[in-house]
Amino acid sequence: MKSSENGGAGTLSIGALAARFGLATHVLRHWETMGLLHPGRDAGGRRRYGADDLTRVATILILKEAGLALNTIGSLSATVDRTARYKILRPVAEELRSRIAAAQTSLELIEGGLNCEYEDVTQCPNYRRLIAERVGPEVRPESQ
């Protein structure tokens, strides 16, 4: 980091940090109010971000991209206990597996439509199989 862009002493201003990650400054302020960031302050009270803060912002962004909510990221960062980490991440992993399964089913339907030789996609074997799975067993009329 150059002193001219960061105000000296190996730190960044909030604007410089935000620009580095393509974020708005209000995002960093929000993360600070949530307890995710703890920037130092200069003599004038302005936020100053060091190397640890850069790592923290990168970590938050990676975890958000993985689908974690900010409150989950906060809980995760507040613990070093493996059991607590497991309790936090297990439901997130289960939800992600569910979304992956749904996306895989959607991809199968779309690829089946792309590869189907029938003019009417509803006649394609893959489509009919998925419909049959959704409908379930046939309902038999009640005896009177």
Side-chain angles (χ1 to χ4, degrees):
M1 292 176 238
K2 297 177 194 167
S3 291
S4 60
E5 74 178 14
N6 64 30
T11 63
L12 293 172
S13 68
I14 191 169
L17 181 67
R20 186 171 187 143
F21 288 99
L23 299 169
T25 56
H26 70 85
V27 171
L28 297 174
R29 287 186 194 96
H30 177 64
W31 292 355
E32 183 181 349
T33 63
M34 293 191 69
L36 298 174
L37 291 175
H38 307 283
R41 302 282 178 158
D42 66 12
R46 292 177 298 266
R47 293 169 179 86
R48 303 306 303 171
Y49 297 90
D52 289 344
D53 297 306
L54 268 73
T55 299
R56 185 78 184 126
V57 170
T59 300
I60 293 167
L61 291 171
I62 288 168
L63 293 174
K64 281 179 54 64
E65 288 169 7
L68 276 70
L70 290 176
N71 59 350
T72 303
I73 294 169
S75 297
L76 195 57
S77 64
T79 185
V80 292
D81 178 58
R82 186 175 183 191
T83 302
R85 184 178 69 232
Y86 180 83
K87 287 179 182 177
I88 294 166
L89 291 177
R90 188 179 68 192
V92 176
E94 289 171 1
E95 171 62 25
L96 185 56
R97 284 185 198 99
S98 177
R99 290 195 333 246
I100 289 169
Q104 186 62 42
T105 299
S106 297
L107 182 59
E108 288 174 22
L109 177 64
I110 291 167
E111 287 180 339
L114 287 171
N115 298 320
C116 180
E117 296 179 9
Y118 291 91
E119 290 295 320
D120 180 359
V121 73
T122 65
Q123 299 306 306
C124 297
N126 188 46
Y127 177 87
R128 295 180 73 78
R129 178 187 57 80
L130 291 171
I131 294 301
E133 288 174 3
R134 177 67 57 99
V135 170
E138 285 186 42
V139 177
R140 297 181 187 196
E142 293 183 30
S143 301
Q144 292 188 4

